[in-house]
Amino acid sequence: MKKIEYLSLEELRADKAKLGRRLRTELKGVQQDAVELVMPQQTMQFVNSSVPYARYIGYGLTAWRTFNTVRKVLMFVKTRKWK
């Protein structure tokens, strides 16, 4: 591994910030890939599948997303302070 020598603290901070941005970008990509693998945005690909268990997965994902949407709306209405 090549050892990097910095001539100033600003160079070190800039390199650290650049590395942090790259790591955050990579982490977001990995997280999005994991979510897409488990819960794809296109649930209709499961619902329209010719494989029966895939259709059940699609129905389950659709029901779960509907439940979460209703829950979020109800929590918003519940916590909203009406004047």
Side-chain angles (χ1 to χ4, degrees):
M1 187 168 177
K2 184 179 176 184
K3 185 176 180 180
I4 300 173
E5 292 186 23
Y6 296 100
L7 300 176
S8 69
L9 189 57
E10 285 75 27
E11 286 181 10
L12 176 64
R13 287 180 179 156
D15 197 30
K16 180 182 173 187
K18 185 169 64 171
L19 182 60
R21 285 190 299 271
R22 284 179 43 201
L23 286 173
R24 279 190 297 276
T25 302
E26 288 294 321
L27 181 62
K28 281 184 183 180
V30 170
Q31 287 173 338
Q32 290 171 349
D33 289 345
V35 168
E36 186 65 27
L37 180 65
V38 176
M39 278 182 38
Q41 293 297 321
Q42 302 294 330
T43 56
M44 291 308 292
Q45 70 186 8
F46 287 125
V47 174
N48 294 331
S49 175
S50 62
V51 181
Y53 70 85
R55 285 196 301 267
Y56 288 118
I57 290 172
Y59 296 141
L61 290 174
T62 303
W64 177 254
R65 288 199 174 130
T66 303
F67 167 75
N68 275 335
T69 303
V70 170
R71 184 179 59 84
K72 287 177 185 176
V73 168
L74 291 177
M75 289 302 292
F76 173 77
V77 170
K78 181 180 174 183
T79 59
R80 176 99 168 120
K81 301 220 187 283
W82 301 99
K83 294 182 180 183

